[in-house]
Amino acid sequence: MGAELEPTQGEKKSGRLVSLDVFRGLTVAAMVVVNNPGTWSSIYWPLEHAEWHGWTPTDLVFPFFLFIVGVSITLSLARRVEGGGGQRDLLFGIIRRALILFALGLILAGFPRFDFQTIRIPGVLPRIAVCYFVAAIIFLKTSWRTQALIAAALVIVYWLLMTLVPVPGYGAGDLSKEGSLASYLDRLIFGPHIWKQGKVYDPEGLLSTLPAIATTLGGALAGHWLRTRRSQLEKVGGLFFAGVAAVMTGWLWGLWFPINKSLWTSSYVVFTGGMALLLLGFCYWLIEIKNYRGWAWPFKVFGVNAITLFVGTGLMAKLMGLWKIPRMNGAQGNLQTFIYEHLFAAWAQPLNASLLYALCFLLVWLLLMWLLYRKEIFIKI
């Protein structure tokens, strides 16, 4: 099992950090499980988002991914800059990747009908695209100190905007679904193109993308730390120290400006950034220092093709929803409900059946991703 995690020839040439791939794989695997339960009516609480204020383990997943994007920006772009890569070529590559990510997000949102009058414009992949683009440009043009100042400015300015700017009909400082400044702007700017389940707000909206950029820059700063000449133990110690400090600071800030994933509040940025530092440090310690690698091979397989996994599972879930099959009670259903009811719900309690469906869905994709990994096929955007 341990041999499965050894770097391939292509990865050795690119200098990939195995612990970062594993962290990315853990994160995207969690995304797949959370997004694909057997039934949305039966989900264990850790696999649900907080109703509004507060957090669950699921609320850590998306900021973890943006944090990882930031780490990858530093590790990949710094290597290219040091290798003599021209600014023009690097900028072209950044723009190209951001546009592809944004386009993939629109395809996922619109598939299969592509109703452009109501298609959701914000979303997970569009937010990743915007955060990647802005953070990568900032990385190329500034020093790490300036990047830290920009990240701090973003969370502070967002906090001030959300608490001091009045919203028509609600006033200043309203952090409800309807009355927050972020929600108001999303309704005003995107109209019918916001998240349909949210109706009055979008969890990946416009204004809340500002602190999400700060999350990405936090990852870029962690990447700078990992590139220093310090020993591996010093690097882990730094990650843990900064992680604990950020978690405590975010929690305390949350007493005044609540931790909220949908609003991506400033306290949420600091808190989840601290949690990401702790998990990255733990992965780095286990894999790079202790060389405990056997457990991590599935997540390495997921991590090297993370966007492929996310897009593929999203399309597969939608395709299964299009295949109409009657349910056990005679009502109209689809392939997904047919599989869930006949293979899982028929013998397991609803909560367990729903979770088992999600895990089996993930295992099917582990097989597909493993086939790509064995062939050293890494689909890059």
Side-chain angles (χ1 to χ4, degrees):
M1 297 288 277
E4 293 286 353
L5 200 61
E6 292 304 314
T8 62
Q9 290 300 316
E11 290 172 309
K12 288 177 181 177
K13 291 179 181 179
S14 66
R16 295 182 72 104
L17 187 65
V18 176
S19 54
L20 183 63
D21 283 332
V22 171
F23 185 16
R24 186 188 296 108
L26 281 164
T27 302
V28 74
M31 277 187 176
V32 173
V33 171
V34 165
N35 290 340
N36 296 278
T39 173
W40 290 102
S41 62
S42 296
I43 305 173
Y44 280 106
W45 75 263
L47 301 178
E48 292 189 279
H49 290 290
E51 176 58 30
W52 194 240
H53 295 324
W55 65 282
T56 70
T58 295
D59 292 313
L60 303 177
V61 174
F62 193 14
F64 279 12
F65 200 89
L66 284 180
F67 182 91
I68 293 164
V69 169
V71 178
S72 300
I73 285 172
T74 298
L75 298 186
S76 62
L77 291 186
R79 193 160 48 240
R80 295 177 194 176
V81 170
E82 292 170 355
Q87 286 275 320
R88 184 177 178 180
D89 291 339
L90 290 174
L91 284 172
F92 177 78
I94 290 168
I95 294 170
R96 173 184 169 277
R97 189 178 192 209
L99 289 175
I100 292 175
L101 284 169
F102 202 96
L104 287 173
L106 293 181
I107 290 170
L108 272 180
F111 184 83
R113 295 178 178 83
F114 295 99
D115 182 356
F116 293 104
Q117 293 184 337
T118 60
I119 189 173
R120 184 187 179 198
I121 296 175
V124 171
L125 288 177
R127 170 162 285 183
I128 293 173
V130 173
C131 290
Y132 166 76
F133 174 77
V134 175
I137 296 300
I138 291 172
F139 172 83
L140 284 181
K141 301 298 183 180
T142 65
S143 67
W144 72 265
R145 291 181 177 85
T146 303
Q147 292 158 32
L149 289 174
I150 291 173
L154 285 172
V155 295
I156 292 171
V157 168
Y158 184 68
W159 169 49
L160 295 174
L161 289 173
M162 291 290 285
T163 54
L164 299 180
V165 176
V167 174
Y170 296 94
D174 189 319
L175 298 179
S176 66
K177 294 179 181 180
E178 300 86 357
S180 75
L181 178 63
S183 304
Y184 171 74
L185 290 177
D186 287 339
R187 294 195 300 271
L188 183 67
I189 295 170
F190 293 119
H193 298 284
I194 63 174
W195 188 46
K196 291 180 176 60
Q197 288 90 327
K199 297 181 181 178
V200 295
Y201 76 97
D202 196 298
E204 281 81 48
L206 185 64
L207 187 62
S208 61
T209 298
L210 291 178
I213 293 170
T215 296
T216 313
L217 288 173
L221 292 171
H224 282 292
W225 175 252
L226 291 175
R227 295 190 76 249
T228 63
R229 296 181 180 274
R230 298 177 185 272
S231 70
Q232 290 183 322
L233 282 176
E234 286 178 311
K235 291 177 182 179
V236 168
L239 292 174
F240 280 134
F241 178 81
V244 171
V247 167
M248 294 302 298
T249 302
W251 179 80
L252 288 171
W253 199 351
L255 300 177
W256 291 273
F257 191 31
I259 291 172
N260 186 304
K261 186 264 180 190
S262 294
L263 295 178
W264 214 278
T265 52
S266 303
S267 58
Y268 176 76
V269 171
V270 179
F271 178 80
T272 56
M275 297 289 275
L277 285 165
L278 292 175
L279 185 52
L280 175 59
F282 184 64
C283 289
Y284 190 93
W285 177 76
L286 274 181
I287 293 171
E288 312 297 343
I289 297 178
K290 304 301 290 184
N291 204 34
Y292 296 149
R293 301 187 171 208
W295 64 275
W297 76 266
F299 306 110
K300 170 71 180 298
V301 170
F302 286 144
V304 295
N305 275 311
I307 296 297
T308 302
L309 176 64
F310 182 80
V311 174
T313 55
L315 290 175
M316 182 177 180
K318 289 203 169 191
L319 287 170
M320 293 172 70
L322 292 175
W323 191 339
K324 302 303 180 184
I325 300 176
R327 299 181 62 181
M328 295 177 70
N329 60 10
Q332 183 65 273
N334 54 46
L335 179 59
Q336 187 271 328
T337 55
F338 179 86
I339 293 173
Y340 167 68
E341 291 181 346
H342 286 78
L343 297 185
F344 300 94
W347 58 273
Q349 293 296 318
L351 284 172
N352 293 330
S354 185
L355 176 59
L356 286 170
Y357 173 89
L359 293 175
C360 288
F361 186 87
L362 182 67
L363 286 175
V364 169
W365 277 91
L366 174 59
L367 174 61
L368 296 174
M369 294 296 100
W370 176 75
L371 292 175
L372 292 179
Y373 183 80
R374 291 276 296 197
K375 296 292 185 180
E376 294 195 29
I377 299 174
F378 309 128
I379 301 176
K380 297 181 180 181
I381 294 174

